[in-house]
Amino acid sequence: MLTSERLAALADPDTGDVSAAIYTDEEVYRRELDAIFRTSWLFLGHESQLRKAGDFFTSYMAEDSVVVTRNRTGGISAFLNVCRHRGMKICRAELGNARAFQCTYHGWSYGLEGDLKAVPNQEAYGPDFALEDWAAIPVPRVESYKGMIFATWNTDAVDLIDYLGESAYYLDGVIDRLPGGSEVFGGIHKWVIDCNWKMPAEQFASDMYHAATSHVSAIAVNLPEDFDPLKHGLDQRDGVQYWSDEGHGGGYFLADKPNPAIWLHPRAKEWLISTYEEAEARLGAHRAAHVSGHNTIFPNFSWLAGTNTIRVWHPRGAGKIEVWAWTIVDSGAPADVKNAFRKGSLRAFGPSGLLEQDDGENWVEIQKTMQGSVSRDTTLCYRMALDAPIRRSEHSGAHEGPLFSDTAARNFYRRWSALMGSGLA
Amino acid sequence: MSTPVENPDEAFVADPVAWPLLDPSAHARLQQFYALEAHLLDERRFRDWLRLFADDLHYWMPIRRVLPPRQRELEFTGPDELAQFDENLAELTQRVEKIETGKAWAEEPPSRTRHLVTNVMAREESEGWSVRTAFIAYQSRSERDSHAFVGERRDQLIRAEGAPCGLLVRRREIRLDHATLVAPSLSIFF
């Protein structure tokens, strides 16, 4: 049984000792669904997916399917995609435009805000039956940050802007570079990886270290002839890792002018450089120059600056995830620039992506290996930069330290342990 | 009163104008072309495989979505939307170069693949052929991982002297039958 003592043995954020069992243990996973995913803000999608009244898409909050709509008053509603009659999915489409959703089992119909509008043969339920008693379960908190729609089941949660905290500063560097903000392309990459959700979430929070080994082949075929490794982020000396008390984290290379990742499409690189002054006026020099880097908002939302992939690691059991990845771009960019970001993103970080392929391979192998009795009891080493000096960022206020470091991962597990341990005997 | 069918075989062709009955030699030539292509892929002769494509290639695999009837025409993402592959010849070649480094971990150790290409329907056009085929691309990896990708390919082939079977692929649209992919990556070719 999971106890405080057992939990403390699973992950010690102070020493950096983490048991591989956190990736495989079914009891840990079942508790995560409640303790982590019912308390935290989760990313649902982007407002540009809901341009007019009646537009909807279905999304997930961990394993729970939800319907997200642009309602009649122009606001955004979200409700559990479960019919109150027999539990059938109310909406079976990924996206569309609708006035109402009719369950395909017995025909109960729901409005854009999840309100129950009609029940066939309603008189048989008797005079006391009231439609308003059987609305779809609403997602109680839905808030947007600059077009990014998040939601939580936790009515006591802090506001989204406070939850994002210092991370909003880094997120702005991608979604709010220029006037007009940003939008996502049509189409979401959705694919299944047989690994625990924490592997990718933690990697995007804390791990610039893997790139030179995991992605060596992608780096090799993208190298320009005048390649200088010190200028292109294979060396940690000019990098920063940041993390926040909410469990978020990220890392990036320092630069005094935009230095886009080598795998970006040439036209996209050009755009980041040619709009630098405008972005600098809006964001300040520090962020305007940082056009690459990895980031996670606890628990399972991540993004990469530059390639502009934003994604959710939906858990599907202890050993499986469904990745949903969108590509985001400056709304005001000309068509050829948008196309360059679209192609660059899907060719680097879509399921076929020259970089993405390598990560899935590692995570799948880890998950399989950790099924062994001895393997899952193995202590994994999260000790990098354990004693490195840390400071507060003069820009965002986040904690920061050296780029090649497990500190943001330890911090991720500190937050994880706190939520998991709440109320445990 | 029904119209008598003059050629009973044609009654089985759903759209005889779009997809006329192929004469056997044309059918055999297209089948051989696709068998050769599958062979090169399964033997991992990727450089030779690249020689089957025209210089102005567009190799495209849109994303498939689950949509309600009214939006059904948007089932596949369009050219301005995300795709699984969206490649010109240089970009497709770069994927081969990645594998050739020997450090592309999703293909090292290499996948064992078998490409089955069948159900050839074709229409002759001024520069070559418009062809639709069905495929199964089976991928076995590592000790016992396996994935089967199933779908349709829509090819535009052009006649090219000296090319294998006298044909090159100028445009390929790959329509997987999968919406959410049940695989950790698309590291093989289609």
Side-chain angles (χ1 to χ4, degrees), chain A residues 152-164:
Chain A
T152 181
W153 301 107
N154 180 4
T155 50
D156 297 328
V158 298
D159 290 343
L160 176 63
I161 182 71
D162 296 322
Y163 183 78
L164 297 176

Side-chain angles (χ1 to χ4, degrees), chain A residues 292-314:
Chain A
S292 58
H294 58 78
N295 311 263
T296 288
I297 298 288
F298 187 92
N300 65 336
F301 174 70
S302 299
W303 78 92
L304 295 174
T307 37
N308 289 16
T309 174
I310 65 175
R311 68 254 311 271
V312 177
W313 320 103
H314 294 296

Side-chain angles (χ1 to χ4, degrees), chain A residues 104-145:
Chain A
T104 55
Y105 197 177
H106 301 87
W108 286 31
S109 294
Y110 297 85
L112 290 172
E113 296 175 53
D115 46 309
L116 183 60
K117 293 169 82 85
V119 169
N121 201 29
Q122 187 187 327
E123 57 278 11
Y125 286 96
D128 294 337
F129 182 86
L131 293 174
E132 52 271 28
D133 291 341
W134 297 98
I137 305 294
V139 182
R141 302 278 302 277
V142 181
E143 292 176 20
S144 287
Y145 178 73

Side-chain angles (χ1 to χ4, degrees), chain A residues 27-228:
Chain A
E27 193 186 357
V28 166
Y29 177 67
R30 281 195 303 276
R31 186 165 180 86
E32 285 175 341
L33 288 182
D34 294 334
I36 307 285
F37 291 100
R38 283 181 79 160
T39 63
S40 304
W41 282 97
L42 306 174
F43 183 73
L44 296 182
H46 195 270
E47 285 189 16
S48 56
Q49 295 172 256
L50 302 172
R51 293 204 184 269
K52 56 184 190 298
D55 281 357
F56 71 88
F57 59 81
T58 47
S59 189
Y60 282 97
M61 298 172 72
E63 301 223 37
D64 288 309
S65 176
V66 293
V67 183
V68 187
T69 66
R70 177 74 71 180
N71 61 36
R72 292 287 157 209
T73 56
I76 292 168
S77 296
F79 53 89
L80 192 66
N81 193 8
V82 170
C83 180
R84 295 296 303 278
H85 177 232
R86 288 293 186 273
M88 176 61 186
K89 263 188 172 178
I90 295 167
C91 173
R92 300 168 69 192
E94 287 182 48
L95 61 90
N97 184 276
R99 277 190 293 254
F101 303 96
Q102 186 178 43
C103 176
T104 55
Y105 197 177
H106 301 87
W108 286 31
S109 294
Y110 297 85
L112 290 172
E113 296 175 53
D115 46 309
L116 183 60
K117 293 169 82 85
V119 169
N121 201 29
Q122 187 187 327
E123 57 278 11
Y125 286 96
D128 294 337
F129 182 86
L131 293 174
E132 52 271 28
D133 291 341
W134 297 98
I137 305 294
V139 182
R141 302 278 302 277
V142 181
E143 292 176 20
S144 287
Y145 178 73
K146 298 185 179 180
M148 317 282 283
I149 308 166
F150 286 76
T152 181
W153 301 107
N154 180 4
T155 50
D156 297 328
V158 298
D159 290 343
L160 176 63
I161 182 71
D162 296 322
Y163 183 78
L164 297 176
E166 295 98 348
S167 281
Y169 173 89
Y170 304 95
L171 188 55
D172 285 350
V174 173
I175 69 172
D176 198 22
R177 284 182 74 245
L178 299 172
S182 48
E183 62 190 23
V184 294
F185 289 99
I188 303 171
H189 285 129
K190 300 180 179 181
W191 74 104
V192 172
I193 304 179
D194 288 341
C195 72
N196 184 270
W197 67 273
K198 295 186 291 301
M199 291 181 200
E202 163 218 301
Q203 191 217 62
F204 275 65
S206 185
D207 190 345
M208 192 69 93
Y209 180 47
H210 79 288
T213 306
S214 287
H215 303 307
V216 59
S217 61
I219 292 167
V221 300
N222 276 290
L223 289 181
E225 283 179 17
D226 59 347
F227 180 72
D228 175 353

